[in-house]
């Protein structure tokens, strides 16, 4: 990534040093990257490896490191290759978030990766897929109830980490011996959960977007069925479960809003007393603040929807020993809200064309359906007198004397006379 890219703005310069490659999980945005001297204040550097494995290392050699640099770090045994994801003042905050104990030994960064280091690293990465397939076959032969999801080789190729999923505790001591003999490397087993496995593989969720655990989520919070109850979602395991077969992480996103909105609604156990009868809670639209009451507990009967404010008014009246005549139906008096999305529908142009065609048809079909002639308008006296005067003038102007008319008639014989004269000339012999 080109960290030298800069964009001029009215308030100064903006650079992309804090932005990292988004093709890795647990990506961290360094919003202090543009501050001068930020990287020199802290020796600690955050380095990320394959999948979601991260580590914190000491920059004891005072290397000038930036986000995206590939470095060789200390490992046991040998060295490992990783990518720098965070430097400067935010690293101690990330260490505190990761709950690192003060007694933990912090390893150091050796150097920036050289071409020789990258060649070894690429050779080790090329073995990972074949190693995973073969290790799955070995685990199946040993009748172990586990699934090996991924294999990660160390940068120098001396160690391999096997990530596995298991519902129960697995005794893999025999498996480690067989794997060490088969691959001639040091073996480390790491158990991961179903959520981490889904984040590693990735996929598209029912919302049509890429999985949250595979893109932006930095840690996994436990999800319980109470989150679905607060939001009045049906407890259907097929709809509540994600691709990891666990409850969806997105159930926790809106729980706080629903909890705050429910505080403004009366309790479900409170009944409303009226002169018509007793009303029981049936359902509620938490975000709109509408409550539907029914005269029967088990099924909907004589349902009435009222606002939370009206419900509290009725409850206060009942506490005073008063009973209203009936519950006010909100749906009967509330106006339909304006939907802005509905106004910008895709068929809005088609509707206008249809209205224009109707107007044209109305203009052409101006006569009524019985084929009766349209009534004529009564003419005004002034207009009729003017028309008569104009007609008289035109007649006088077109009149000519009789002599001119006769001369014209003689000069231009009729068509029959001209035919007869031509016929006589042909019948007469030449003299």
């Amino acid at each position: 990534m080109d960290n030298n890219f800069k964009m001029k703005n009215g308030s100064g310069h903006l650079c992309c040093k804090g932005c990292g490659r988004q093709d890795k999980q647990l990506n961290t945005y360094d919003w202090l990257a543009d501050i001068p001297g930020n990287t020199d204040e802290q020796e600690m550097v955050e380095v990320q490896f394959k999948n979601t494995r991260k580590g914190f290392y000491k920059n004891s050699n005072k290397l000038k490191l930036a986000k995206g640099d590939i470095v060789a770090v200390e490992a046991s045994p040998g060295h490992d290759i990783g990518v720098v994801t965070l430097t400067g003042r935010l690293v101690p905050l990330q260490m505190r978030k990761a709950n690192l104990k003060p007694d933990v030994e912090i390893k150091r960064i050796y150097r920036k990766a050289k071409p020789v280091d990258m060649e070894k690293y690429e050779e080790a990465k090329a073995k990972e897929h074949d190693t995973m397939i073969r290790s799955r076959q070995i685990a199946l032969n040993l009748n172990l109830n586990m699934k090996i999801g991924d294999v990660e080789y160390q940068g120098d190729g001396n160690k391999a980490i096997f990530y596995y999923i298991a519902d129960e505790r697995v005794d893999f001591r025999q498996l480690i011996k067989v794997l060490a003999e088969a691959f001639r490397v040091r073996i480390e087993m790491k158990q991961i959960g179903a959520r981490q496995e889904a984040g590693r593989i990735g996929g598209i969720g029912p919302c049509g977007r890429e999985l949250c655990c595979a893109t932006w989520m930095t840690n996994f919070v436990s999800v319980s069925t109470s989150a679905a109850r607060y939001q009045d979602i049906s407890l259907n395991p097929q709809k509540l479960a994600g691709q990891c077969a666990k409850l969806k992480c997105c159930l926790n996103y809106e729980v706080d809003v629903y909890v705050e909105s429910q505080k403004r609604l009366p309790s479900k156990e409170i009944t409303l007393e009226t002169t018509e009868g007793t009303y029981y809670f049936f359902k509620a639209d938490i975000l709109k603040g509408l409550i539907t009451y029914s005269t029967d507990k088990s099924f909907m009967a004589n349902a009435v929807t009222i606002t939370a404010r009206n419900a509290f008014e009725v409850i206060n009246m009942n506490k005073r020993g008063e009973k209203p005549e009936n519950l006010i139906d909100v749906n009967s008096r509330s106006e339909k809200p304006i939907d802005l999305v509905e106004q910008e529908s895709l068929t809005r142009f088609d509707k206008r064309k249809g209205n224009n065609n109707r107007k044209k048809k109305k203009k052409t079909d101006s006569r009524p359906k019985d084929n009766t002639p349209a009534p004529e308008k009564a003419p005004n006296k002034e207009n009729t007198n003017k028309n008569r005067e104009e007609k008289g003038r035109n007649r006088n102007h077109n009149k000519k004397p009789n002599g001119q008319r006769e001369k014209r008639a003689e000069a231009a014989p009729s068509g029959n006379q001209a035919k007869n004269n031509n016929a006589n000339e042909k019948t007469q012999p030449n003299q």
Side-chain angles (χ1 to χ4, degrees):
M1 190 173 195
D2 187 9
N3 292 330
N4 296 326
F5 170 79
K6 290 189 177 182
M7 180 178 63
K8 291 186 178 180
N9 194 10
S11 58
H13 295 275
L14 297 175
C15 77
C16 61
K17 287 183 180 179
C19 301
R21 296 180 62 187
Q22 298 294 328
D23 59 349
K24 288 190 176 183
Q25 295 90 353
L26 306 186
N27 182 72
T28 307
Y29 177 73
D30 189 3
W31 51 277
L32 296 177
D34 297 336
I35 297 178
N38 178 43
T39 57
D40 301 334
E41 291 188 5
Q42 292 289 334
E43 289 186 351
M44 301 304 299
V45 178
E46 184 187 69
V47 181
Q48 183 170 352
F49 305 94
K50 186 181 177 181
N51 298 332
T52 57
R53 186 168 68 95
K54 280 188 177 182
F56 298 94
Y57 296 88
K58 202 170 189 179
N59 186 10
S60 56
N61 296 328
K62 303 295 182 181
L63 301 173
K64 291 185 178 180
L65 299 177
K67 190 169 186 175
D69 290 343
I70 302 174
V71 291
V73 299
E74 182 182 357
S76 56
H79 69 273
D80 202 353
I81 302 295
V83 181
V84 176
T85 54
L86 198 62
T87 58
R89 304 177 187 177
L90 293 183
V91 179
L93 299 178
Q94 290 293 103
M95 295 175 66
R96 192 185 308 169
K97 186 178 179 181
N99 296 324
L100 287 180
K101 297 179 181 180
D103 301 335
V104 176
E105 182 184 357
I106 297 176
K107 299 177 182 178
R108 59 195 179 90
I109 298 175
Y110 287 145
R111 60 188 177 275
K112 289 188 178 181
K114 297 179 181 179
V116 180
D117 299 329
M118 295 306 297
E119 287 178 4
K120 288 184 180 179
Y121 177 67
E122 294 297 335
E123 290 176 4
K125 281 197 72 175
K127 302 176 187 176
E128 290 177 352
H129 183 71
D130 296 336
T131 304
M132 180 185 67
I133 300 300
R134 191 175 172 188
S135 62
R136 285 181 180 179
Q137 188 64 39
I138 294 171
L140 184 62
N141 295 335
L142 295 175
N143 296 323
L144 296 177
N145 188 15
M146 61 185 294
K147 176 191 173 184
I148 297 176
D150 195 11
V151 177
E152 179 186 358
Y153 270 92
Q154 200 170 269
D156 55 1
N158 295 328
K159 181 181 175 182
I161 303 173
F162 290 80
Y163 296 93
Y164 71 95
I165 304 170
D167 297 331
E168 300 175 356
R169 190 171 182 179
V170 181
D171 185 8
F172 46 76
R173 288 177 292 183
Q174 183 64 26
L175 177 64
I176 291 175
K177 293 179 182 179
V178 177
L179 293 177
E181 292 176 0
F183 303 112
R184 301 292 180 181
V185 291
R186 192 170 180 177
I187 305 298
E188 182 181 347
M189 304 295 293
K190 271 193 176 182
Q191 186 175 1
I192 59 175
R195 298 180 190 276
Q196 286 84 354
E197 177 70 8
R200 187 190 66 81
I201 297 173
I204 304 298
C207 57
R209 303 185 66 180
E210 196 174 353
L211 296 179
C212 299
C213 55
T215 50
W216 61 271
M217 288 185 68
T218 58
N219 55 351
F220 296 99
V221 182
S222 61
V223 185
S224 61
T225 54
S226 61
R229 291 193 183 97
Y230 280 124
Q231 302 176 54
D232 283 344
I233 301 174
S234 61
L235 300 178
N236 187 354
Q238 294 180 353
K239 293 184 178 179
L240 296 181
Q243 294 186 1
C244 57
K246 303 292 182 181
L247 291 176
K248 295 178 182 176
C249 297
C250 56
L251 290 175
N252 286 339
Y253 296 166
E254 299 178 357
V255 173
D256 297 337
V257 178
Y258 277 88
V259 170
E260 290 295 326
S261 300
Q262 277 188 346
K263 292 179 181 178
R264 303 168 189 168
L265 302 180
S267 175
K268 299 179 181 180
E269 299 176 356
I270 298 176
T271 59
L272 304 183
E273 300 288 341
T274 62
T275 56
E276 295 179 351
T278 304
Y279 285 88
Y280 302 93
F281 177 89
F282 189 77
K283 65 177 182 178
D285 191 336
I286 300 173
L287 298 181
K288 288 184 179 180
L290 301 178
I291 312 169
T292 302
Y293 287 92
S294 172
T295 54
D296 197 289
K297 290 183 179 180
S298 56
F299 59 91
M300 184 182 288
N302 302 323
V304 179
T305 303
I306 61 175
T307 60
R309 183 177 181 181
N310 292 341
F312 280 116
E313 291 178 358
V314 176
I315 291 169
N316 293 330
M317 292 176 68
N318 293 336
K319 288 180 179 179
R320 295 194 301 266
E322 302 175 1
K323 293 184 180 180
E325 295 181 1
N326 54 10
L327 298 179
I328 301 172
D329 188 359
V330 177
N331 294 330
S332 61
R333 66 175 185 176
S334 63
E335 297 180 358
K336 186 180 179 182
I338 299 173
D339 190 0
L340 298 177
V341 179
E342 196 177 73
Q343 291 179 357
E344 299 297 331
S345 61
L346 295 175
T347 58
R348 62 186 184 274
F349 300 110
D350 299 338
K351 291 178 182 178
R352 290 178 183 175
K353 288 180 181 178
N355 295 333
N356 293 334
N357 294 333
R358 288 178 186 174
K359 289 178 182 179
K360 289 179 182 178
K361 287 181 180 179
K362 287 181 180 179
K363 288 181 181 179
T364 53
D365 302 337
S366 57
R367 291 186 180 181
K369 292 182 180 179
D370 350 15
N371 295 326
T372 55
E376 296 180 357
K377 294 182 180 180
N380 296 331
K381 292 182 179 181
E382 297 178 0
N383 294 333
T384 51
N385 294 332
K386 289 180 180 179
N387 292 333
R388 287 176 183 174
E389 291 176 1
E390 289 177 0
K391 288 180 180 178
R393 290 173 186 171
N394 293 332
R395 286 175 185 172
N396 296 331
H397 186 268
N398 293 330
K399 283 182 180 180
K400 292 185 179 180
N402 296 329
Q404 292 179 359
R405 291 180 186 175
E406 291 176 358
K407 287 180 181 179
R408 281 187 180 181
E410 291 177 359
S414 62
N416 294 329
Q417 290 179 358
K419 289 179 181 178
N420 295 331
N421 293 333
N422 293 331
N424 294 330
E425 290 176 359
K426 289 179 181 179
T427 53
Q428 288 179 2
N430 294 327
Q431 294 179 358

